[in-house]
Amino acid sequence: MLHYYTIVGTAIVMFYNKILFKSPTFKDELYLIEPMKILNIKNTLGLLLLTVAISCGETKPETQTETAQNWYKGNLHTHSYWSDGDEFPEVILDWYKSREYQFMALSDHNTIADGEKWVTIREDSIYKNSFQNYLRAYGPDWVEYKIDSGKTLVKLKAYEEYRDKLEEKGAFLVIRSEEITDKYEDKPIHMNATNIQEKIEPMGGANVAEVMQNNINQVLEQRKRTGVPMIPHINHPNFHYSITLDDMISLKGERFFEVYNGHPAVHNMGDSTRISTEEMWDLINISYLKNDKPLMYGLATDDSHHYHNKGKSWSNAGRGWVMVQADTLSAVSLINSLESGNFYSSTGVELKTLTYQNNTISVEIEPELGVTYEISFIGCKKGQTQTETLSVVNESVAAFEITEDLLFARCKVTSSKLQENPIENIRYEMAWSQPVTPTE
Ligand SMILES: [Zn+2]
Ligand SMILES: [Zn+2]
C-alpha cells in the first residue's frame, strides 16, 4: 500500500515533468536542474505532488524526484584501528571533518565496528604520543583504557558511539561500511558495502568473478530484505592485479568501482602489460552498454590506513574523494544521487557546475589562481571497441554534445597543479565526471 502511493505519486511527477519541461528523459531532469530552478513555478506542482507521495509512506521513492541542490564531499574507503588503520575512529573523522568533508564511511576489513575491541598501543613513540593526544583531546571520561604489564590497552568506540560523537545534522554524516575482504587462491578481492546494516562474512567462490559476485549478491540481498539503500563497490581491481577486465565485465548488479584509490600498492595506472583502471572503466562500459547493463560509475577514494607517516609509500588521507550533488545530507539521498551518476570523483579539482541537459555535458571548474585546466571529453563511438578523446578545451568552462553516434561519453579535468601527496606517477590534480549516454 505504502509503495502504491509512492509509485503513483512519483508517476504523476514523472508525467508532469516530462510534459511541461519537454525534457529528453526524466533522468535528465533530475540530474541537472540548477539550484535556482527549484523556485521555478513549473516545478512547484511537481514538488507538491512529491511531498504528497512521500507523506503517504514511510520510505522515500526509489527514484529521486527532488531537485539536487548541494555538493557534498566524502570519502567512502577509510581504515581505523578496527582493522589495519593506525588511528582511532574519532580522530580520523575529526581530521576529515576539519577539512570540509561532509560525509565519511569507515570501512574496516570484515567488521562493521560493533561489539568490544581493545587495541594495544604499539611501543613506537609515534603511537604512544598519538594515544596521549587522543586522551587529551577527548578526555578521560570518554577514553576507556587500562595498563597491563606496562602496555596500554584502549577500548575502541563502536560505530554508534563514534558516529554520535562526530555527526552533525546537515553538516557531517557518518555512514556505516565494511570492506568485505575476500580472496581467491592468492588473489586479494576486496569490495566495500556502503550503508551496510549487518556484517557480511566473505563468501568465497570458485574463481575471482564468482567471489565478487557472491559478495555483491549478499549486499543486494541485505538491501532487499531490510529496505535500506546500500551499495557494493569493487575496490582497487589492480591490487595484486587480482581482478581482470573480464572479471569486471561478468558482474551482475554492480554499479561502482574505484577508478582511483589512494593506496600506494594498487596500480591505478597499470603497467606495461596491464591496463589502468581508467582504461578498464571505459572497456567495462562498452561491454555493459552492449549487453544492456546499467553504466559502471567510477569512484575516487583514499583507502587511508596511515595517519602518522606521510609520503608516497604510505596510504594517507586526503588523496581521492567523491563530490555528490544531493538534496540533503543523508545516506539515502547520497546513494540515490550516486546511483543516478550525479557526482564526480576528484583528486583535487573542484567543479562549480556539472550538468547533463539536452544531450549536453556542461562543466565549470572552480578555478584556483595561477592554475590552468584541460577539460577532455572522452567517449566511444557506436560500433567501436575503444574510447577516444573527442574534444579538448584549455579553459575552465566547457560543453560537449553527446550526439547519436556515441555510445557514451564522460568528462575528465586535468589541472596544472601538482597533487600535494601523490602516489604512483599520478602527478596532477584531476576530476572525472560519470559517463552518460545520448538520450532520445
Ligand atoms: Zn582493500
Ligand atoms: Zn581498504
Side-chain angles (χ1 to χ4, degrees):
M1 198 60 182
L2 154 150
H3 290 295
Y4 173 75
Y5 284 117
T6 311
I7 290 161
V8 169
T10 307
I12 294 167
V13 178
M14 286 174 73
F15 176 74
Y16 185 78
N17 280 341
K18 181 111 185 163
I19 299 303
L20 287 184
F21 291 25
K22 297 185 176 62
S23 63
T25 66
F26 178 52
K27 192 182 165 210
D28 276 3
E29 193 62 45
L30 304 184
Y31 192 159
L32 299 172
I33 297 176
E34 291 147 41
M36 285 312 288
K37 287 197 183 160
I38 192 169
L39 300 173
N40 188 323
I41 197 149
K42 283 189 283 186
N43 253 344
T44 315
L45 178 59
L47 288 169
L48 202 68
L49 288 166
L50 175 74
T51 313
V52 173
I54 291 172
S55 63
C56 291
E58 288 163 16
T59 53
K60 292 186 121 188
E62 271 290 301
T63 315
Q64 189 74 22
T65 49
E66 294 107 310
T67 305
Q69 299 170 70
N70 305 299
W71 286 111
Y72 296 113
K73 179 178 181 178
N75 178 36
L76 293 173
H77 192 164
T78 328
H79 295 274
S80 76
Y81 270 141
W82 273 96
S83 60
D84 54 353
D86 67 2
E87 188 53 280
F88 296 95
E90 307 93 297
V91 179
I92 297 165
L93 293 172
D94 252 336
W95 187 95
Y96 282 99
K97 194 176 172 180
S98 68
R99 283 160 182 81
E100 296 178 344
Y101 285 70
Q102 281 88 34
F103 66 94
M104 283 297 298
L106 297 190
S107 52
D108 278 299
H109 298 285
N110 295 333
T111 174
I112 55 168
D114 60 355
E116 190 170 326
K117 183 177 166 81
W118 290 77
V119 288
T120 305
I121 302 302
R122 281 176 257 177
E123 288 300 306
D124 192 322
S125 62
I126 290 177
Y127 298 104
K128 285 184 157 179
N129 291 340
S130 84
F131 168 67
Q132 289 304 326
N133 291 338
Y134 172 57
L135 186 56
R136 250 194 311 276
Y138 291 89
D141 290 344
W142 175 259
V143 177
E144 206 176 322
Y145 71 103
K146 58 190 178 194
I147 312 287
D148 190 1
S149 313
K151 292 193 186 300
T152 306
L153 287 96
V154 188
K155 188 182 172 195
L156 297 182
K157 298 299 177 188
Y159 166 75
E160 283 85 0
E161 293 173 296
Y162 66 66
R163 177 199 61 194
D164 291 352
K165 186 84 171 165
L166 274 298
E167 233 177 38
E168 246 177 82
K169 200 170 167 44
F172 192 71
L173 176 76
V174 183
I175 302 171
R176 192 164 218 166
S177 183
E178 174 185 350
E179 182 169 12
I180 303 167
T181 307
D182 210 334
K183 62 180 174 141
Y184 174 69
E185 294 177 342
D186 60 345
K187 297 182 169 84
I189 300 164
H190 299 177
M191 65 211 72
N192 272 24
T194 301
N195 206 30
I196 190 102
Q197 304 295 301
E198 301 160 8
K199 185 186 158 183
I200 288 175
E201 295 289 346
M203 298 296 293
N207 52 56
V208 170
E210 199 179 299
V211 171
M212 288 195 287
Q213 192 64 55
N214 287 344
N215 289 302
I216 290 165
N217 291 350
Q218 287 297 300
V219 181
L220 300 180
E221 183 280 321
Q222 189 179 127
R223 177 177 182 155
K224 198 171 170 193
R225 178 166 49 77
T226 59
V228 177
M230 56 185 78
I231 47 174
H233 85 245
I234 302 297
N235 297 342
H236 47 60
N238 282 350
F239 180 50
H240 291 240
Y241 293 104
S242 292
I243 299 169
T244 64
L245 171 64
D246 285 343
D247 295 326
M248 291 298 296
I249 283 174
S250 77
L251 298 177
K252 294 180 187 72
E254 182 56 272
R255 306 285 314 280
F256 303 92
F257 92 126
E258 290 177 341
V259 69
Y260 176 90
N261 174 301
H263 192 291
V266 300
H267 306 290
N268 294 292
M269 294 184 81
D271 62 16
S272 58
T273 58
R274 284 162 294 202
I275 56 173
S276 69
T277 47
E278 194 171 344
E279 289 172 274
M280 188 185 271
W281 188 19
D282 287 341
L283 295 171
I284 292 167
N285 278 326
I286 292 169
S287 167
Y288 275 21
L289 289 174
K290 283 180 181 162
N291 291 288
D292 291 323
K293 291 194 205 176
L295 285 160
M296 172 70 77
Y297 294 139
L299 304 166
T301 69
D302 276 344
D303 198 357
S304 36
H305 290 73
H306 307 121
Y307 303 92
H308 305 289
N309 296 300
K310 209 176 157 188
K312 67 177 185 181
S313 55
W314 302 94
S315 64
N316 295 143
R319 286 183 171 133
W321 57 88
V322 284
M323 295 292 289
V324 183
Q325 197 168 32
D327 59 331
T328 49
L329 184 58
S330 69
V332 172
S333 216
L334 292 170
I335 288 174
N336 251 322
S337 292
L338 286 164
E339 293 189 321
S340 307
N342 194 2
F343 73 100
Y344 66 92
S345 294
S346 178
T347 59
V349 173
E350 189 182 342
L351 303 183
K352 207 183 279 180
T353 53
L354 172 65
T355 63
Y356 181 46
Q357 209 163 22
N358 302 325
N359 279 321
T360 302
I361 306 177
S362 302
V363 57
E364 185 177 0
I365 298 159
E366 185 73 69
E368 285 186 61
L369 204 64
V371 177
T372 58
Y373 301 91
E374 181 185 277
I375 304 176
S376 312
F377 294 92
I378 297 156
C380 182
K381 289 184 178 152
K382 282 178 182 162
Q384 297 299 309
T385 54
Q386 282 195 321
T387 51
E388 56 190 284
T389 301
L390 303 161
S391 166
V392 181
V393 179
N394 288 297
E395 303 279 350
S396 60
V397 183
F400 181 78
E401 192 187 348
I402 312 292
T403 46
E404 269 303 306
D405 61 323
L406 294 174
L407 193 60
F408 72 90
R410 60 184 175 84
C411 170
K412 178 184 178 178
V413 182
T414 308
S415 165
S416 67
K417 188 178 169 188
L418 292 168
Q419 206 190 351
E420 192 194 310
N421 180 19
I423 47 158
E424 303 178 39
N425 196 23
I426 307 170
R427 298 178 62 205
Y428 299 101
E429 294 187 346
M430 285 192 281
W432 298 264
S433 81
Q434 301 308 312
V436 290
T437 55
T439 51
E440 275 140 44

